[in-house]
Amino acid sequence: NAGVTQTPKFQVLKTGQSMTLQCAQDMNHNSMYWYRQDPGMGLRLIYYSASEGTTDKGEVPNGYNVSRLNKREFSLRLESAAPSQTSVYFCASIEAADEKLFFGSGTQLSVL
Amino acid sequence: GESVGLHLPTLSVQEGDNSIINCAYSNSASDYFIWYKQESGKGPQFIIDIRSNMDKRQGQRVTVLLNKTVKHLSLQIAATQPGDSAVYFCAENQSGGYNKLIFGAGTRLAVHP
């Protein structure tokens, strides 16, 4: 009964390095989301995928790309990491009829 | 992780007391509101929701109150327990679709024995 699984849990990057954050859900949800959470601020939407095969920008998409690999998996890529991207990243999924977002446990990313 | 809790307002209560956590929302057109609980090192967890056509909704030990006149939302936790210690934040849905959710920064609830 895993729900939403994110990897890795922690990552340290140097400025300019690239990496991909992985997210997978086993609840057969159509919609998936990537958020970032910064100290003293609410969650902010980076990108979302309303259904398999579609992706759209959220509130803070600059510096990120996403791939909805299949219905289960939605990855977030940082092509050239910057210190401003130091944050905790959460993946979430939802089945519209349920109206409850399920979140993963997060990836804590530090960019030096 | 723990770092996201920095700079948040903190509510300290004694175990067994009732807790009230408040949230001011921004858009009078928002029609759906949600409360989340986030424990240290974990992702947010759904607690309770309410639609704008309601003033009050009750769950197990939790009640959400909505005052649309002053754009205010509150979460009441009855008989607070140590396991309730967490950051609580509200979210408003401004125009339908979860891509339009606006999240508050949250309040840290500290429960003391």
Side-chain angles (χ1 to χ4, degrees):
Chain A
N1 200 14
V4 180
T5 303
Q6 290 182 237
T7 56
K9 292 190 182 300
F10 301 95
Q11 184 70 49
V12 179
L13 294 177
K14 294 180 180 179
T15 297
Q17 288 185 315
S18 62
M19 78 160 296
T20 300
L21 280 64
Q22 307 287 351
C23 175
Q25 51 91 9
D26 61 4
M27 296 171 284
N28 202 36
H29 287 170
N30 284 318
S31 301
M32 299 184 72
Y33 302 80
W34 276 105
Y35 291 91
R36 60 178 287 172
Q37 187 177 40
D38 299 296
M41 298 180 69
L43 290 162
R44 292 184 293 169
L45 182 64
I46 305 170
Y47 269 93
Y48 67 100
S49 171
S51 61
E52 187 179 357
T54 69
T55 60
D56 287 284
K57 295 178 180 179
E59 180 186 355
V60 288
N62 291 345
Y64 306 95
N65 285 300
V66 290
S67 295
R68 183 74 182 267
L69 303 170
N70 47 56
K71 192 172 186 180
R72 289 187 65 247
E73 299 173 287
F74 188 38
S75 63
L76 178 71
R77 182 160 178 83
L78 286 70
E79 289 291 352
S80 179
S84 62
Q85 294 178 304
T86 293
S87 188
V88 181
Y89 291 85
F90 288 99
C91 177
S93 70
I94 189 171
E95 184 56 49
D98 193 20
E99 291 191 322
K100 292 181 179 62
L101 268 175
F102 287 86
F103 285 87
S105 58
T107 296
Q108 190 157 347
L109 175 67
S110 295
V111 183
L112 307 177
Chain B
E2 189 65 33
S3 63
V4 298
L6 293 175
H7 315 303
L8 293 178
T10 299
L11 175 66
S12 294
V13 300
Q14 293 293 123
E15 182 178 356
D17 286 352
N18 296 332
S19 302
I20 300 176
I21 300 170
N22 297 304
C23 176
Y25 64 91
S26 59
N27 191 336
S28 56
S30 293
D31 59 2
Y32 180 56
F33 306 87
I34 313 163
W35 278 101
Y36 288 92
K37 173 185 180 182
Q38 186 175 18
E39 296 175 277
S40 181
K42 297 184 178 180
Q45 181 183 8
F46 173 94
I47 302 173
I48 192 167
D49 58 1
I50 188 168
R51 296 203 173 276
S52 58
N53 61 353
M54 302 173 69
D55 296 324
K56 178 180 180 179
R57 191 170 188 208
Q58 288 184 293
Q60 188 175 11
R61 278 201 312 118
V62 295
T63 300
V64 55
L65 299 177
L66 175 62
N67 185 331
K68 296 181 285 292
T69 302
V70 294
K71 294 190 288 185
H72 184 267
L73 199 63
S74 68
L75 177 70
Q76 300 178 0
I77 304 173
T80 313
Q81 303 168 0
D84 295 326
S85 293
V87 174
Y88 291 81
F89 53 88
C90 63
E92 61 180 297
N93 192 331
Q94 296 191 336
S95 62
Y98 276 73
N99 53 309
K100 297 297 185 185
L101 273 179
I102 303 297
F103 291 87
T107 297
R108 176 176 297 282
L109 178 64
V111 183
H112 303 285

